[in-house]
Amino acid sequence: MAKRGDNIHKRKDGRWEGRYKKGRRSDGTIQYGSVYGKSYTEVKKKLKDAATLTGVFSVPQNREKTFGEILNLWMDNNRPKLKGATINKYQNLIDTHISPALGNTKISDLTSTVINAYLSEKMKCGRLDKKGGLSPSYVKSIMLIINAAIQFAVKEEICAPLKTPISKPTLTKSELRILSFDEQKKLEMYLRLGTDPSKLGILLSLHTGLRIGEVCALSWEDIDFTNCIIKVRHTVARVRNTSEKTTSQTKLIIDSPKTKASVRDIPIPSVLLSELVSHRKVSTSKYIISDKDTFVSPRTFEYRYHRILSESGVESVNYHALRHTFATRCIEAGVDVKSLSEILGHANVGVTLNTYVHSSMEMKRTQLEKLISLSA
């Protein structure tokens, strides 16, 4: 849509629309009104008349709202735009960490100094069991929610902006261990023994980089044997439980992937095709790694994964390391980064290079040896 002026734009039906602030709702958020016309000039005049009728728009005396109320308003405003798992994550951080400490603080008293002191305390002793501090990445998530809620309140003219920025926690990036060539070979030999669906799931992540939630949600309908393609269309996500029939606060559901880029088609590697065909013949479930009518939860699957690692004689490593291992092996084999990024379901190649690709000592040695050819 063409725009002329901050509050005037041309609609698809050819008319011009102007928006103005006409008052506030009972919760303190801004209520907007609209005027329409055949031209920009006509709408601009109508906006001026509307402003005269409504009077000078001023910030009401609602600065005594608590930050807990602001957080609720912010969540209500964003809930329609967020996925269930994200809503659950945000609400959990608010309920367990932010609201107990800052929820009763008046918005006019919530300064950068107060917030920074709170975040610093979380870094030192923020765990719920009081046995240490939260990780920098966890505290960063808390900080982002606080900052977003305040920005929302500022936009709604409920409060003034913070005078100084909130201090971001310093993140120390630790490189996740990946499987060595020998470990991967040893594990794969064990995985190919028998027709255990859990073993097949691990092989899928090792050779396609699928996330654990994507593997748990993968059904046989997602496998195109004719064109040898895995269609990633779902993931298992944990969301808040609104049912009154259970005391459980959360539940697992089959949801769409976390981002648009995560919806993707992955070519089935030849080393996996025969395994999938064999398992399909004996499978009794809709889901690839399940032997029941329902999907396997990520927590259960990860437990089985660690048991399999132990049985195969491979040192325990986080399940997500399989995704890191896959990405690194692809780079070592010369797979172009753009293709790898799309296989992994990333929005851009920067995420792939910075997060998932690990340079081994062998790779570094090989790259340095290339210098010899220049001086030969």
Side-chain angles (χ1 to χ4, degrees):
M1 294 183 294
K3 292 187 177 180
R4 297 181 63 180
D6 291 338
N7 300 310
I8 302 176
H9 69 276
K10 193 171 186 179
R11 293 161 51 95
K12 291 183 179 180
D13 62 7
R15 294 185 300 165
W16 288 84
E17 178 183 358
R19 299 187 75 206
Y20 65 96
K21 300 170 184 176
K22 59 188 294 187
R24 287 187 179 273
R25 302 181 183 88
S26 58
D27 60 12
T29 56
I30 299 172
Q31 183 176 13
Y32 290 92
S34 295
V35 293
Y36 304 90
K38 296 180 179 179
S39 67
Y40 170 80
T41 304
E42 180 184 354
V43 170
K44 186 174 182 180
K45 181 179 184 304
K46 287 184 177 181
L47 279 181
K48 185 176 181 180
D49 294 339
T52 302
L53 291 173
T54 56
V56 178
F57 186 86
S58 60
V59 178
Q61 299 300 314
N62 59 2
R63 293 193 181 274
E64 290 308 301
K65 271 189 181 299
T66 65
F67 189 53
E69 292 173 305
I70 298 298
L71 287 167
N72 289 335
L73 289 173
W74 176 73
M75 280 297 295
D76 289 342
N77 182 72
N78 284 280
R79 190 170 279 108
K81 300 178 287 185
L82 300 175
K83 291 180 65 63
T86 304
I87 293 173
N88 183 60
K89 176 185 176 181
Y90 288 174
Q91 196 65 60
N92 182 60
L93 289 172
I94 291 171
D95 293 343
T96 58
H97 292 286
I98 304 175
S99 284
L102 302 176
N104 292 325
T105 303
K106 302 298 182 184
I107 189 63
S108 57
D109 295 331
L110 194 64
T111 64
S112 298
T113 302
V114 172
I115 296 171
N116 289 334
Y118 160 75
L119 294 175
S120 178
E121 187 69 16
K122 284 293 177 183
M123 291 283 289
K124 295 176 182 176
C125 55
R127 287 172 55 106
L128 297 180
D129 59 9
K130 307 299 181 184
K131 294 182 179 179
L134 299 173
S135 68
S137 60
Y138 203 86
V139 176
K140 182 181 178 182
S141 295
I142 293 174
M143 182 273 293
L144 291 174
I145 290 175
I146 292 174
N147 192 55
I150 292 175
Q151 291 299 318
F152 165 76
V154 170
K155 184 177 180 180
E156 290 291 331
E157 299 185 8
I158 297 174
C159 69
L162 295 174
K163 294 182 179 180
T164 55
I166 301 173
S167 299
K168 296 181 180 179
T170 302
L171 299 180
T172 53
K173 187 177 180 181
S174 58
E175 190 167 299
L176 181 67
R177 186 178 85 83
I178 66 172
L179 296 178
S180 66
F181 284 107
D182 289 339
E183 287 177 319
Q184 183 172 348
K185 184 177 179 180
K186 188 176 183 180
L187 176 59
E188 287 200 48
M189 288 179 62
Y190 183 78
L191 294 175
R192 295 181 188 279
L193 298 175
T195 54
D196 182 341
S198 293
K199 291 181 180 179
L200 176 60
I202 298 171
L203 277 172
L204 281 166
S205 287
L206 262 179
H207 288 284
T208 64
L210 287 176
R211 302 176 178 94
I212 190 169
E214 294 170 340
V215 174
C216 290
L218 201 64
S219 71
W220 290 110
E221 294 178 352
D222 298 321
I223 307 298
D224 181 348
F225 285 102
T226 302
N227 298 301
C228 298
I229 292 174
I230 297 173
K231 298 181 178 181
V232 184
R233 299 293 184 270
H234 304 94
T235 188
V236 174
R238 184 169 293 279
V239 299
R240 294 184 75 82
N241 194 352
T242 57
S243 174
E244 298 179 355
K245 298 180 180 180
T246 177
T247 57
S248 178
Q249 294 185 344
T250 61
K251 63 179 179 180
L252 291 172
I253 64 169
I254 296 292
D255 201 359
S256 56
K258 56 189 295 186
T259 64
K260 290 183 179 179
S262 295
V263 177
R264 61 201 189 277
D265 292 342
I266 302 175
I268 301 176
S270 57
V271 294
L272 272 184
L273 186 57
S274 60
E275 294 289 337
L276 285 167
V277 171
S278 298
H279 280 73
R280 182 69 184 97
K281 292 177 180 178
V282 299
S283 177
T284 58
S285 174
K286 168 186 175 180
Y287 299 98
I288 291 179
I289 70 164
S290 177
D291 54 7
K292 299 180 180 179
D293 294 335
T294 58
F295 60 85
V296 176
S297 74
R299 181 176 296 181
T300 298
F301 182 43
E302 186 155 20
Y303 169 80
R304 294 174 181 174
Y305 158 73
H306 284 290
R307 174 175 54 77
I308 289 172
L309 283 184
S310 178
E311 292 172 353
S312 65
V314 175
E315 184 181 347
S316 182
V317 63
N318 187 286
Y319 188 90
H320 203 67
L322 300 181
R323 184 169 163 87
H324 286 246
T325 300
F326 167 75
T328 303
R329 294 287 178 267
C330 285
I331 293 296
E332 291 171 344
V335 176
D336 73 276
V337 180
K338 176 62 176 174
S339 296
L340 175 58
S341 180
E342 293 179 358
I343 291 171
L344 291 172
H346 291 158
N348 57 71
V349 297
V351 176
T352 308
L353 290 172
N354 295 330
T355 309
Y356 290 94
V357 180
H358 301 261
S359 179
S360 65
M361 184 57 67
E362 290 78 8
M363 185 189 297
K364 294 172 183 174
R365 192 183 308 279
T366 300
Q367 297 303 315
L368 289 178
E369 287 298 321
K370 292 180 179 180
L371 295 175
I372 298 176
S373 61
L374 297 178
S375 58

